[in-house]
Amino acid sequence: QVQLVESGGGSVQAGGSLRLSCAASATLFFWNSVGWFRQVPGKEREGVAAIYTNGGRTAYADSVKGRFTISHDNAKNTVYLQMNSLKPEDTAMYYCAAGRSGRWNGLRLGEYGYWGQGTQVTVSA
């Protein structure tokens, strides 16, 4: 059974920081795209950041560029999302996802076939 486990969510004041972690099997993260997506009730899920674990290619949504950083630790089979200068509009459920095919997917949501359960991030003004 494929399993991605997110952690690190919580509540923080605007301007603060959080680091999300996503752990999964080595097989799933080997030469694959891993992305962070977020969703608020009533809105579509949107891409936040993605990384290709072979080479470190990254992509970011315009709304988070310069504030969020995605990285991976192959030894720990973990992908991180460092979130700085958080804003109230960053409040959402954050999901980690892995690609279906082992190709670079960027933030194309439909190319991700394996999903975690999500971790809530709440930013207060």
Side-chain angles (χ1 to χ4, degrees):
Q1 182 177 357
V2 174
Q3 192 171 21
L4 292 90
V5 179
E6 302 106 330
S7 61
S11 297
V12 65
Q13 289 189 327
S17 298
L18 286 172
R19 188 176 78 157
L20 306 183
S21 299
C22 175
S25 66
T27 301
L28 190 60
F29 279 3
F30 182 72
W31 283 25
N32 202 1
S33 294
V34 180
W36 285 97
F37 297 80
R38 65 187 181 188
Q39 189 170 23
V40 297
K43 292 190 176 182
E44 293 185 353
R45 193 168 295 189
E46 64 174 1
V48 176
I51 190 166
Y52 193 64
T53 58
N54 178 28
R57 183 176 179 179
T58 59
Y60 294 92
D62 288 343
S63 59
V64 306
K65 282 180 182 177
R67 300 189 297 122
F68 291 10
T69 303
I70 190 170
S71 61
H72 68 105
D73 185 331
N74 284 340
K76 296 182 178 180
N77 301 318
T78 301
V79 171
Y80 302 98
L81 184 67
Q82 178 66 43
M83 305 186 295
N84 298 328
S85 302
L86 283 161
K87 304 175 181 180
E89 50 264 43
D90 294 318
T91 296
M93 184 71 77
Y94 283 71
Y95 298 90
C96 176
R100 302 176 188 274
S101 62
R103 294 192 295 264
W104 170 238
N105 296 327
L107 298 178
R108 296 188 296 276
L109 188 149
E111 299 297 321
Y112 289 83
Y114 305 96
W115 292 85
Q117 294 300 306
T119 185
Q120 178 68 35
V121 171
T122 302
V123 184
S124 57

